[in-house]
Amino acid sequence: MPWDQLSDEQREIRDLVRTLARERIAPRAAAIDESHEFPWDVVELYRENDIFGLFHEEQYGGLGTGTWLALIAIEEISKVCATSGLILAVQELGSLGLKLAGSEEQRQRYLPRLASGEWLCAYALTEAGSGSDSAAMRTTARRDGDEYVLSGSKRFITNASVASLYTVFAKTDPGAAHAGISAFLVEANAPGFEVTRLEPKLGISGSTTGELAFEECRIPAGNLLGAEGEGFRIAMRILDRSRPGVAAQALGIAQGATDYALEYAKTRETMGKPIAEHQLIQAKLADMETECEAGRGLLYTFGRMVDDGVDGPELTKASAMAKLKCGDVAMAVTIEAVQILGGYGYIKEYPVERFMRDAKITQIYEGTQEIQRLVIAREMLKESRAFLLAGVG
Ligand SMILES: Cc1cc2nc3c(=O)[nH]c(=O)nc-3n(C[C@H](O)[C@H](O)[C@H](O)COP(=O)(O)OP(=O)(O)OC[C@H]3O[C@@H](n4cnc5c(N)ncnc54)[C@H](O)[C@@H]3O)c2cc1C
């Protein structure tokens, strides 16, 4: 098993995260879901235990323990609370622009505050009229002396209203498609920036999802990430690295639901014996566990590829496959968990209906499952497997 290859230090950190999840976050999960309030106490817990540091290099105040372990942390937390797992995944999503395209000065200015969790961050690509087709965005940015002036709006932005720093994509050349997009760092107190609406949702209820408005929003020209016109490439490179965070969240949800259903099945009796002894229930449990393990294989492979320095098309494909598999596993497995609990699976007294509601978003955000399939197929079509045809005809 690849996860047996964790170093002693990595194992120790994994165990700490697991303990925090079980003892401190699990007891809060139902209340976070019901209140629809952002769990600042969980953020505080992460700050106290240096959990945000898992996502950062030592030179910027992080722990430097690598991507694989960071994904395991999201998985462990999401086993008990998907909203709390998402806080970590989005902190990485919002930091990646700086890591991949930031100047040294920009990194020094912001990354230590993100690594400590003093500031939360966000990634703002989607607009009302552009989700999967992100190049159709209409938000613009024009240079005015030492500043850029942003105009437009973003929709469905996770951490809206709680983030202090937003990575925002806007067109510096509105006439061009992909090549007209640039990436910017926008602080929450920038003049002309406002969060104008928060969405009530099916799941991940404690996470904020909101609309951002930019009305002649002025930011320093030094907050451009990379060069003008590089924004689309930066956005896609960020997603290559961040999608596995969603996969880790999805896998955690799926494993949490499997674990709960297993324990329930051992104690609930029908026809004179625990339902776990009925073979149709056993088949469900076996399939659920096998699917989780399959998703975990893809996810951990991705984490270790990043830690080994792999980049480019190979990483893009591995990232999309992990997200696709784990998202689909989360949805299928949580539906089965509800089924195993019968009527009790459908009521709020038990956590599996929450797992099922939380699972759905993992098939939608950071690129829908349809888009993941397009990405995987696109990478496959670039590969040559012509040797198989050599003997034909
Ligand atoms: C809770 C939540 C949090 C989010 N957080 C963020 C965030 O932090 N930052 C951010 O930028 N965005 C965020 N999003 C936006 C999310 O990434 C988009 O909703 C998603 O990418 C899909 O875009 P869309 O909703 O516009 O759907 P559309 O693009 O309109 O797609 C509708 C349907 O058509 C399918 N489809 C579209 N194009 C194709 C195609 N070429 N081939 C086949 N099928 C296709 C899609 O798969 C989907 O099923 C969030 C969304 C939600 C709901």
Side-chain angles (χ1 to χ4, degrees):
M1 295 279 186
W3 38 104
D4 289 340
Q5 292 163 22
L6 288 172
S7 68
D8 287 347
E9 188 201 6
Q10 287 173 321
R11 202 176 290 267
E12 221 171 87
I13 294 173
R14 193 266 320 262
D15 291 347
L16 166 73
V17 175
R18 189 173 276 177
T19 304
L20 291 176
R22 290 180 183 176
E23 293 180 4
R24 304 288 300 277
I25 299 176
R28 284 274 293 122
I32 291 170
D33 177 57
E34 246 162 68
S35 69
H36 291 239
E37 278 174 17
F38 184 78
W40 281 108
D41 58 323
V42 172
V43 172
E44 200 46 50
L45 185 71
Y46 292 159
R47 287 172 179 155
E48 284 165 7
N49 290 279
D50 220 352
I51 304 298
F52 291 114
L54 285 170
F55 296 82
H56 294 271
E57 296 299 324
E58 279 174 292
Q59 66 187 115
Y60 302 111
L63 298 175
T65 43
T67 297
W68 183 22
L69 187 63
L71 293 170
I72 290 175
I74 298 173
E75 177 193 349
E76 288 297 329
I77 305 274
S78 301
K79 282 181 187 172
V80 301
C81 178
T83 288
S84 300
L86 182 60
I87 292 172
L88 296 179
V90 175
Q91 190 75 348
E92 172 69 349
L93 173 66
S95 304
L96 272 165
L98 275 159
K99 292 186 193 175
L100 296 171
S103 66
E104 195 46 40
E105 188 277 320
Q106 288 171 330
R107 290 180 188 172
Q108 294 289 353
R109 184 155 29 115
Y110 292 117
L111 284 180
R113 281 186 267 193
L114 301 178
S116 68
E118 180 194 344
W119 278 18
L120 297 183
C121 57
Y123 171 91
L125 180 68
T126 304
E127 300 184 3
S130 62
S132 305
D133 184 11
S134 48
M137 71 176 61
R138 301 178 71 165
T139 298
T140 58
R142 68 166 205 281
R143 181 84 189 237
D144 183 19
D146 288 344
E147 295 179 319
Y148 278 98
V149 184
L150 275 62
S151 303
S153 63
K154 295 283 169 184
R155 186 121 197 232
F156 294 148
I157 306 309
T158 302
N159 274 3
S161 81
V162 299
S164 300
L165 185 68
Y166 296 77
T167 304
V168 178
F169 299 86
K171 288 226 165 134
T172 38
D173 180 357
H178 304 78
I181 297 171
S182 302
F184 299 92
L185 296 164
V186 179
E187 294 188 20
N189 60 4
F193 171 81
E194 205 185 341
V195 175
T196 46
R197 154 198 177 124
L198 293 178
E199 310 285 353
K201 305 186 293 293
L202 176 70
I204 51 161
S205 310
S207 171
T208 63
T209 309
E211 191 167 291
L212 316 180
F214 303 89
E215 286 191 23
E216 294 283 297
C217 170
R218 290 188 170 266
I219 59 168
N223 281 20
L224 174 71
L225 270 177
E228 277 194 22
E230 284 183 1
F232 188 78
R233 202 179 63 86
I234 294 170
M236 295 304 117
R237 284 197 71 212
I238 291 173
L239 291 175
D240 277 352
R241 305 257 171 171
S242 68
R243 277 174 179 147
V246 173
Q249 182 198 27
L251 177 61
I253 296 170
Q255 191 65 63
T258 302
D259 295 350
Y260 197 91
L262 173 68
E263 290 307 312
Y264 182 88
K266 287 185 203 164
T267 56
R268 175 73 176 173
E269 293 195 3
T270 68
M271 288 108 190
K273 56 184 178 183
I275 60 170
E277 289 180 25
H278 298 308
Q279 287 189 346
L280 287 177
I281 298 293
Q282 289 182 358
K284 286 187 197 300
L285 290 169
D287 286 348
M288 290 158 75
E289 184 90 331
T290 305
E291 285 294 283
C292 286
E293 231 26 90
R296 186 171 289 114
L298 286 169
L299 179 67
Y300 288 9
T301 295
F302 171 89
R304 296 196 305 162
M305 282 168 79
V306 176
D307 290 344
D308 288 346
V310 177
D311 203 352
E314 216 184 323
L315 197 73
T316 300
K317 188 174 158 198
S319 158
M321 291 199 308
K323 200 269 183 183
L324 174 63
K325 182 66 186 172
C326 291
D328 284 354
V329 167
M331 201 64 248
V333 161
T334 54
I335 287 173
E336 285 296 62
V338 170
Q339 194 67 20
I340 289 174
L341 268 74
Y344 296 94
Y346 200 71
I347 62 173
K348 289 196 180 276
E349 194 181 333
Y350 293 81
V352 290
E353 61 83 32
R354 167 166 56 82
F355 284 128
M356 189 181 86
R357 287 185 286 104
D358 288 344
K360 185 60 202 168
I361 191 60
T362 68
Q363 294 185 307
I364 296 173
Y365 57 18
E366 295 200 31
T368 62
Q369 301 303 73
E370 290 77 13
I371 295 302
Q372 303 313 315
R373 288 186 168 91
L374 294 182
V375 170
I376 295 163
R378 187 189 64 208
E379 296 306 328
M380 287 173 71
L381 291 169
K382 287 183 204 159
E383 297 165 7
S384 171
R385 302 178 190 175
F387 65 91
L388 285 175
L389 305 180
V392 178

